[in-house]
Each structure stands twice: as structure tokens, then as C-alpha cells.
Amino acid sequence: MIDIHLIGIGTGNPDHLILAAIKAMNAADLILLPRKGEGKSDLIDLRRSICNAVLTGSTRVVEFDLPVRSATPPYIEAVNSWHDAIAATWAEQIATHLPSGGTLALLVWGDPSLYDSTLRIAERLSVNGMALRMHVVPGITSIQALTAAHAIPLNMLGAPVLITTGRRLREQGWPDAAETIVIMLDGTCAFQTLPPDGVSIWWGAYLGMPHETLISGVLADVGARIIEARATLRAQHGWIMDVYLMRKSDTRQAIGSTQTGRALCLNEWANPG
């Protein structure tokens, strides 16, 4: 039997871990940490810092190279092939490090249920005929981190919220009957394809990390600033994680401010107190 715990770790700040996540990490026989290349070395550094901050027992931590997704369209076919390759890599690591079974933990950005494919990849997993049992520990999502950082409610009074992707926003425009939308997985600043009048935006990158950056305001006023900031940050760090919320007919909460960074640094995360 292999017990697999998919643990939501929020945005990489150990303070975002719930107690159940810390318990599951310490109860695991093995934690697998994916390496995504030199350009994204910060991501594994954050995972290492989390392990250093919370592990107190004999849990083994093993790093492995994550397969690279093909950039060749069609998108869905490329993603499915990539997921197959990741599942095969997991199976190889499990067979090597847990040949007789045990408990595995995988650390998932945000929450495993929200725009993350770890659960779908886990469904493809097969390890030498061993039985697999899945457990999920929820984590703070980038949406929660965004609204907390900007100190705004996610929804207006009694109103719904729609969560979608940058690709869909770019191809289909503002969703019908939606007042508040949250955009994830947007590599092209799809908001610039919208008529900006009457729209407010709250944008955040590297939420919860030392170089957290926030911009908010009326879209017509701050859209260009977000595009410039995103390009600059991506060039500086080699990667970027960002998310944003937009709302129609509500400019009262758009504070138009920019904040960069937090007092907490990675060394403090790794060495609490």
C-alpha cells in the first residue's frame, strides 16, 4: 500500500501551512520535491525552506527533475502527454525510494483542488501493482492570498464570483452576467483586451513571498503599470506567479496603490524565531 498525501502549501510561505499539513509532512516516509530548472530555482528553494521549517522527524526528502511540457500545440494534447510523463516519473521515484510501500507526501502550490493538475496526474499513477490511497490536505489558495493582501472581500454582497483563465478571458471576453471575476494562469495580461471603463482590478504577484508585488486601481489607470511590472519582475526572477481580481461598477475600493515586498525573508522562514 502507498498512501499519497497531496498537501496544499499556499504560496510558499510556511506561515500559510495549516496544522494538518505540518502533521502530514512529519508523518510521511518520503517527500518528493520537483526541480523545474535553473530559471525556476526559487520554487524548489521555497519548498526546501518549508521542509526545513516544519520537519522534525526522520522524513526523507528527495529531489527529482520534473519533465518539461512541450510548447508545441495543441495545448490539451501537450498537457496530457506532460501529465503522463510526470506520473511515470513519480512512479519511478516511488519504486526506488518506497519499494515496500509507505507514505508519500507531495507539496502542491495553493490548494490541490484549484487550477492544479496534481490530482489528475495522481489518477494516472501505477506503481508495480501496489494499491494507492489518496489523501488531500487543503491549502491557502492564491485567491485567498490576493484578497487578504489587498484587504478586500472576494464577493460583493450576495453576489457570485466567477473564476476563469487568461486564455478564456482573451478568447471569450468578460463572462456574461459576471460582476466579479478572478483570472488565473494568465501569461499575456489578457485584461488588456477588455474595454477598461467601469472596471477595477486588484493584481498580485509572488503573493506571500519576500518580493510580493501588489497593484490595484481603475483598470484604465493601472493596466499599463501592471503589464510593465509583470514583465520587469519576470525578467528579474526568471518566472512569475500572479493572479488578479476584476470587478465591474465598483471603483470605490480601488485604492490605486502599489506595494512591494515583505519584511520576512527566506532565511527567517527557514529559521523561525
Side-chain angles (χ1 to χ4, degrees):
M1 170 70 73
I2 300 287
D3 279 293
I4 301 176
H5 292 259
L6 307 181
I7 301 173
I9 59 171
T11 60
N13 185 336
D15 289 343
H16 289 181
L17 294 178
I18 66 172
L19 291 177
I22 295 173
K23 291 178 180 178
M25 289 177 65
N26 279 286
D29 298 307
L30 174 69
I31 295 177
L32 290 178
L33 300 185
R35 292 187 294 257
K36 298 186 178 183
E38 288 300 319
K40 297 184 178 180
S41 60
D42 286 358
L43 298 179
I44 194 164
D45 287 343
L46 288 168
R47 282 186 167 101
R48 290 171 182 147
S49 296
I50 288 173
C51 290
N52 290 336
V54 306
L55 291 179
T56 59
S58 58
T59 300
R60 287 178 293 155
V61 178
V62 173
E63 299 180 8
F64 69 98
D65 293 321
L66 194 71
V68 178
R69 192 183 81 193
S70 171
T72 305
Y75 172 77
I76 296 299
E77 181 179 325
V79 170
N80 279 325
S81 296
W82 183 45
H83 289 175
D84 286 340
I86 294 174
T89 302
W90 286 1
E92 180 182 334
Q93 294 296 321
I94 294 169
T96 299
H97 300 288
L98 293 176
S100 300
T103 302
L104 168 69
L106 295 164
L107 308 185
V108 181
W109 293 111
D111 181 274
S113 70
L114 181 64
Y115 280 101
D116 182 88
S117 291
T118 307
L119 280 164
R120 282 183 285 272
I121 296 169
E123 291 175 351
R124 306 165 188 242
L125 191 60
S126 176
V127 185
N128 297 336
M130 284 193 280
L132 306 177
R133 186 164 54 192
M134 295 294 166
H135 311 266
V136 175
V137 179
I140 291 176
T141 67
S142 60
I143 298 173
Q144 293 168 294
L146 178 74
T147 55
H150 283 288
I152 59 169
L154 175 60
N155 62 291
M156 299 303 288
L157 187 62
V161 175
L162 188 143
I163 303 170
T164 187
T165 65
R167 180 174 59 87
R168 285 187 176 273
L169 183 67
R170 185 174 58 254
E171 294 175 355
Q172 301 174 10
W174 192 285
D176 293 339
E179 180 179 340
T180 297
I181 60 175
V182 175
I183 307 298
M184 304 183 68
L185 306 178
D186 183 9
T188 62
C189 296
F191 57 76
Q192 62 189 308
T193 65
L194 300 173
D197 295 337
V199 176
S200 296
I201 185 169
W202 292 262
W203 174 83
Y206 310 106
L207 293 163
M209 301 180 191
H211 36 290
E212 176 182 279
T213 304
L214 306 173
I215 299 176
S216 66
V218 178
L219 181 58
D221 296 336
V222 302
R225 184 145 53 99
I226 292 172
I227 294 170
E228 181 181 4
R230 191 182 192 281
T232 299
L233 290 165
R234 185 180 180 88
Q236 287 176 349
H237 301 286
W239 62 279
I240 191 167
M241 285 186 177
D242 63 333
V243 62
Y244 56 93
L245 179 151
M246 294 190 293
R247 192 138 41 216
K248 281 189 173 181
S249 304
D250 184 270
T251 58
R252 292 167 297 174
Q253 297 183 70
I255 58 176
S257 66
T258 304
Q259 302 172 21
T260 305
R262 283 183 179 269
L264 220 54
C265 70
L266 279 174
N267 286 336
E268 290 171 327
W269 289 0
N271 300 285

